[in-house]
Amino acid sequence: MKNILETPLQRFENIKDFPFTPHYCQVDDGLKMHYVDEGEKTGQLVLLLHGEPTWSYMYRHMIPPLIDQGYRVIAPDLIGFGKSDKFSDRSQYTYSNHLKWLKALIVDLQMTSINMFCQDWGGLLGLRLVPEMPERFNKIIASNTVLPTGHVKMPEAFMFWRAYSQKSETFDMGKIIDSATVKPLSDDTKAAYNAPFPDETYKAGARQFPMIVPVAADDPECLSNKEAWAFLKTWKKPFLTIYGDEDMIMKGAEKFFQEMIPGAKDQPHKIIHAGHFIQEDAGPYLAKAICQFLETS
């Protein structure tokens, strides 16, 4: 495949609190996806899916407590992010391609009985894969995410973000993430979020993600999401929502999951004091909540 970029590994050398061994999977012709794989291989599997414009680094405060409780944790970097390969050509970043690449990882690693935590685009992707391979999924935790069908108007906060993602000259990832958390990020943390992107050519995926969120009812991906919802309305396995009260983009989206998915009934859903990037504001809390959910539901 052409126009593939690899972020030099030297960019990640000084990142703190991320001691995890890198792993790579070829998910398309010449295209490598990076993933973290920690804990006992025989432990229950927890799949952590990140969103825009982050990478598996966002889960650094959740992975250790999860593996301490005996879970195996896999946290991939979506193509275009983190240590995964990137395209300079924005047209490569489509909803269907992201689904194809993530599905290839799940199949290649032979993931089964998946307990999935998905945030932001991690949900738009992960929740679409559940209907495609339901036998591989067990319990689901959705956090600060949506699965739009175009029938509910996207909030103004999202439309502002969408416009900013196209017009911003610098598109500073650390600054963006810092603006959507309750707790201020340290300079080291902001630098870690900027590390995967040496220059603008590496940011094509991050720039494109907001533009492929389906917002119109006639968008083909809205139609596919509607089909996914039809399946999720029959999902009886445990489904939990944990949302941040300061997330102006996703606020209220949890109600759709709670009301429409049978497996969400009578679960201990939570609204906590956190922003959109809830993993930064409440990582250890989320890890504990995941453990409790997996052990008791």
Side-chain angles (χ1 to χ4, degrees):
M1 301 183 76
K2 298 180 179 179
N3 303 312
I4 294 178
L5 303 173
E6 296 183 24
T7 301
L9 292 180
Q10 296 91 321
R11 298 275 301 180
F12 303 98
E13 287 180 351
N14 296 320
I15 291 178
K16 299 178 180 178
D17 302 322
F18 198 74
F20 312 115
T21 301
H23 301 270
Y24 295 89
C25 173
Q26 183 164 307
V27 294
D28 210 338
D29 183 21
L31 188 67
K32 301 187 303 299
M33 179 180 286
H34 166 263
Y35 63 97
V36 172
D37 187 350
E38 296 288 326
E40 294 295 330
K41 297 299 184 287
T42 56
Q44 285 193 65
L45 175 60
V46 178
L47 175 64
L48 304 176
L49 297 182
H50 74 85
E52 150 85 345
T54 65
W55 58 291
S56 55
Y57 172 78
M58 177 156 276
Y59 288 109
R60 68 197 181 283
H61 297 311
M62 296 172 61
I63 294 171
L66 286 170
I67 61 176
D68 284 348
Q69 292 301 310
Y71 295 102
R72 177 188 181 187
V73 180
I74 295 179
D77 293 340
L78 299 176
I79 294 297
F81 298 86
K83 297 180 180 180
S84 290
D85 286 347
K86 301 162 185 70
F87 289 102
S88 58
D89 178 6
R90 284 176 60 161
S91 69
Q92 296 287 340
Y93 294 105
T94 64
Y95 204 144
S96 59
N97 274 346
H98 277 294
L99 287 167
K100 177 180 70 173
W101 298 325
L102 193 53
K103 186 175 183 178
L105 178 76
I106 290 173
V107 171
D108 189 80
L109 297 186
Q110 301 179 354
M111 296 189 209
T112 57
S113 299
I114 300 169
N115 299 297
M116 178 175 67
F117 177 93
C118 53
Q119 180 261 345
D120 189 81
W121 260 100
L124 274 80
L125 295 172
L127 295 174
R128 277 279 297 273
L129 290 179
V130 172
E132 291 190 25
M133 41 178 56
E135 73 285 351
R136 291 181 182 267
F137 285 88
N138 185 22
K139 300 178 182 180
I140 300 171
I141 306 101
S143 182
N144 291 359
T145 192
V146 293
L147 192 61
T149 60
H151 292 89
V152 177
K153 185 179 180 181
M154 295 295 285
E156 288 300 318
F158 171 76
M159 300 310 293
F160 175 83
W161 155 244
R162 197 182 201 191
Y164 176 83
S165 70
Q166 304 308 297
K167 297 177 181 179
S168 172
E169 292 184 6
T170 56
F171 211 54
D172 185 310
M173 309 305 177
K175 182 179 178 181
I176 290 167
I177 295 163
D178 188 43
S179 71
T181 58
V182 171
K183 299 177 182 178
L185 302 186
S186 68
D187 289 342
D188 285 343
T189 298
K190 286 185 281 189
Y193 282 119
N194 282 318
F197 311 101
D199 58 49
E200 182 65 27
T201 60
Y202 289 78
K203 300 178 184 179
R207 293 274 195 182
Q208 190 67 3
F209 246 154
M211 302 307 296
I212 60 175
V213 174
V215 297
D218 60 351
D219 186 312
E221 295 300 345
C222 274
L223 299 177
S224 296
N225 283 358
K226 189 174 181 180
E227 293 175 358
W229 267 113
F231 177 86
L232 291 171
K233 288 177 182 178
T234 70
W235 185 260
K236 296 181 180 179
K237 295 179 183 179
F239 191 108
L240 179 70
T241 61
I242 307 176
Y243 277 61
D245 62 356
E246 294 295 326
D247 184 355
M248 297 301 103
I249 293 180
M250 303 297 179
K251 198 169 187 177
E254 74 281 354
K255 296 176 183 177
F256 293 98
F257 296 116
Q258 293 171 14
E259 294 171 1
M260 296 183 183
I261 299 177
K265 184 179 180 181
D266 298 327
Q267 297 296 345
H269 304 291
K270 298 175 176 62
I271 300 290
I272 66 174
H273 187 49
H276 179 65
F277 298 107
I278 194 168
Q279 302 96 319
E280 283 293 341
D281 285 325
Y285 173 88
L286 292 173
K288 184 177 180 180
I290 291 170
C291 292
Q292 291 176 339
F293 176 60
L294 298 185
E295 292 165 5
T296 60
S297 63

